[in-house]
């Protein structure tokens, strides 16, 4: 492409959000540097810098479509390497709020794989860009800030085994370093507005990979979700590459946080506490293939930079660094890919604005890009965030800003969940929304209101 907006762009973090962002930036900048604080990753292995990579991840259909748009051919490449395509409404066996969903052959096909497998294939695609440079064992310290121009000119970086820092200048910096980003505190210390919405959920999840017996199963993914507020623990099983299954237990402010599940025996024993015995039954005779891994998420957080005026230009947050969702809902990876597409839309607008002004030598990124980007991804995040917290607030211990009309929304979504066990039209509409393929408002259309609210089955 000839749509070049600058000489150099920097991406902090080489997870899924970072790799997707780098893929977009390579089309608009002469050179792109991707900074990774950890060592160079091993083939399809979890990285200690991404502790959640040991656990179950879901790539929703909307996220899969976004990845295919960013990396044409990636889905086929993953299938050839072991990813499995399943029917999203037939091969998912879902116990939800006390009822099993009504399974049927739908038209949504999703693909199953582990998080390291997916990240490996995204990295392979991104590395095809000749102008991308990936630097491992590099830590981004703080922005290089021109206060007079209100512009970030790059970042100070240091190598993992060095005490000295160097300046890395760039026309645009993308922070994709995850929910632990050190740059939000930097904004605060420099008296820049930092609005955030934090919800304390006290989530713990524990995972282990197993080899199941050769029994003929009529499902590829099994999900048992608790009925709040009485139940607090749930579990999921998903087939991944290599004919393996990853089992994940999750609990909201539950005894799971304090349980000492350090071996397969204790892990299996805890599954007896789930609302349904199906996961426990599947583990009988199964062979563990990995150690037990524990990960805790005390809170989820959303930053509202779309509401801030006079943000420094040349710096953007993306992925978990901008909004961290409840991982039980499996939205994070998909939203990150969709945000990368939004980034490209904004860069196209930036290039067109520059071309309209016949500015072929201009450097730097305008303040309009910052505003456009945050407003654009806020539209992606808004409905997903609301769906998440409406469900999280069913647990009485959850603390945070409650959405308007929470009780009514919880009552209505409860009706949707129960109708999904009886009516395929309702479940079909619901699963499209959950896969980020249709807006939430489709569940409030007149035809859906009739199906969801009418008496009887």
């Amino acid at each position: 492409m000839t749509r070049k907006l600058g000489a150099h762009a920097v991406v902090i973090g080489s997870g899924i959000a970072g790799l997707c962002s780098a893929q977009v930036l390579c089309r608009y900048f002469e050179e792109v540097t991707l900074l990774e604080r950890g060592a160079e990753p091993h083939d399809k292995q979890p990285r200690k810098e991404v502790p959640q990579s040991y656990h179950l991840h879901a790539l929703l259909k909307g996220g899969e479509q976004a990845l295919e748009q960013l990396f044409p051919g990636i889905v086929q490449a993953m299938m050839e390497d072991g990813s499995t395509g399943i029917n999203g409404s037939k091969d998912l066996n879902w116990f939800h709020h006390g009822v099993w969903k009504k399974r049927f052959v739908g038209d949504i096909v999703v693909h199953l794989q582990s998080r390291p497998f997916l990240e490996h294939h995204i990295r392979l695609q991104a590395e095809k860009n000749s102008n991308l440079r990936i630097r491992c064992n590099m830590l981004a310290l703080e922005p290089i800030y021109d206060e007079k121009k209100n512009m970030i000119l790059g970042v100070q970086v240091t190598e993992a085994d060095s005490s000295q820092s160097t300046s890395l200048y760039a026309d645009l910096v993308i922070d994709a370093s995850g929910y632990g980003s050190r740059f939000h505190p930097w904004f605060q210390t420099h008296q820049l507005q930092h609005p955030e919405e934090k919800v304390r959920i006290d989530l713990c999840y524990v995972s282990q990979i197993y080899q199941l017996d050769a029994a003929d199963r009529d499902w590829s993914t099994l999900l048992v979700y608790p009925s709040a507020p009485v139940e607090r623990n749930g579990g999921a099983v998903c087939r991944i590459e290599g004919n393996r299954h990853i089992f994940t237990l999750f609990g909201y402010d539950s005894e799971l946080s304090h349980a000492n599940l350090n071996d397969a025996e204790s892990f299996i024993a805890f599954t007896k506490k789930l609302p349904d015995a199906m996961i426990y039954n599947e583990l009988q005779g199964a062979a563990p293939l990995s150690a037990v891994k524990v990960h805790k998420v005390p809170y989820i957080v959303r930053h509202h930079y779309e509401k801030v005026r006079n943000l420094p230009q040349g710096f953007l947050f993306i992925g978990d660094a901008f909004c961290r969702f409840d991982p039980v809902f499996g939205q994070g990876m998909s939203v990150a890919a969709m945000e990368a597409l939004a980034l490209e839309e904004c860069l196209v607008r930036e290039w067109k604005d520059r071309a309209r002004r016949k500015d072929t030598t201009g450097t730097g990124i305008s303040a309009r890009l910052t505003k456009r980007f945050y407003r654009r991804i806020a539209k992606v995040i808004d409905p997903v965030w609301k769906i998440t917290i409406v469900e999280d607030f069913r647990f009485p211990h959850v603390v945070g800003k409650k959405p308007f009309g929470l009780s009514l929304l919880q009552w209505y979504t409860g009706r949707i969940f129960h109708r999904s066990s009886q009516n395929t039209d309702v479940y079909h509409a619901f699963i499209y929304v959950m896969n980020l393929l249709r807006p939430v408002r489709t569940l409030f259309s007149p035809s859906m209101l009739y199906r969801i609210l009418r008496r009887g089955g």
Side-chain angles (χ1 to χ4, degrees), residues 74-337:
I74 188 172
V75 174
Q76 181 62 33
M78 291 194 299
M79 289 182 65
E80 292 174 357
D81 196 28
S83 178
T84 304
I86 68 165
N87 189 280
S89 50
K90 175 182 175 293
D91 298 320
L92 168 62
N93 200 13
W94 188 357
F95 187 76
H96 194 202
H97 284 259
V99 293
W100 290 97
K101 300 293 185 191
K102 189 177 181 67
R103 297 163 67 189
F104 65 97
V105 178
D107 52 5
I108 296 179
V109 175
V110 296
H111 292 85
L112 308 180
Q113 59 275 312
S114 66
R115 162 70 183 258
F117 178 97
L118 176 63
E119 194 172 293
H120 169 77
H121 277 275
I122 295 175
R123 178 181 288 267
L124 287 179
Q125 296 287 331
E127 287 175 343
K128 294 179 181 180
N129 293 288
S130 59
N131 59 335
L132 174 64
R133 182 187 180 194
I134 300 178
R135 298 180 65 182
C136 296
N137 296 309
M138 294 294 295
L139 181 64
L141 300 175
E142 63 178 14
I144 303 170
Y145 182 46
D146 186 328
E147 187 174 359
K148 188 174 182 180
K149 294 182 179 179
N150 193 28
M151 181 184 297
I152 289 177
L153 308 177
V155 287
Q156 293 288 337
V157 300
T158 183
E159 295 187 25
D161 56 352
S162 173
S163 59
Q164 295 183 336
S165 65
T166 57
S167 298
L168 188 62
Y169 290 93
D171 301 291
L172 179 63
V173 177
I174 303 286
D175 183 358
S177 60
Y179 60 86
S181 169
R182 62 171 58 208
F183 293 94
H184 297 298
W186 181 90
F187 271 61
Q188 290 177 303
T189 58
H190 285 74
Q191 298 181 337
L192 296 167
Q193 287 180 299
H194 180 245
E196 67 176 19
E197 184 177 352
K198 184 178 290 187
V199 178
R200 188 167 192 90
I201 62 173
D202 289 317
L203 170 69
C204 175
Y205 55 119
V206 184
S207 297
Q208 190 170 26
I209 297 175
Y210 284 83
Q211 185 82 55
L212 298 187
D213 59 40
D216 187 18
R217 294 174 174 83
D218 67 347
W219 55 267
S220 295
T221 301
L222 176 61
L223 176 58
V224 175
Y225 190 85
S227 183
V230 178
E231 299 164 350
R232 294 174 178 264
N233 297 309
V237 187
C238 182
R239 189 174 69 200
I240 59 175
E241 69 279 358
N243 194 30
R244 301 171 297 160
H245 286 77
I246 182 168
F247 285 70
T248 293
L249 306 175
F250 58 89
Y252 293 91
D253 189 35
S254 77
E255 65 269 35
L256 184 62
S257 298
H258 313 291
N260 187 22
L261 307 186
N262 53 13
D263 54 35
E265 184 178 356
S266 58
F267 183 92
I268 295 172
F270 193 91
T271 62
K272 291 181 180 180
K273 300 177 182 290
L274 301 185
D276 186 88
M278 193 166 181
I279 291 180
Y280 173 75
N281 294 336
E282 289 294 339
L283 281 168
Q284 303 311 302
L289 300 177
S290 73
V292 177
K293 295 293 183 178
V294 180
H295 187 58
K296 295 183 179 181
V297 181
Y299 59 85
I300 56 176
V301 62
R302 177 184 178 183
H303 300 275
H304 285 281
Y305 287 114
E306 75 277 6
K307 298 180 179 180
V308 180
R309 295 181 180 180
N310 299 321
L311 278 170
Q313 63 190 69
F315 189 96
L316 301 172
F317 293 95
I318 198 170
D320 279 4
F322 186 75
C323 181
R324 183 191 195 188
F325 297 100
D326 182 339
V328 169
F329 295 86
Q331 301 153 328
M333 299 190 306
S334 297
V335 170

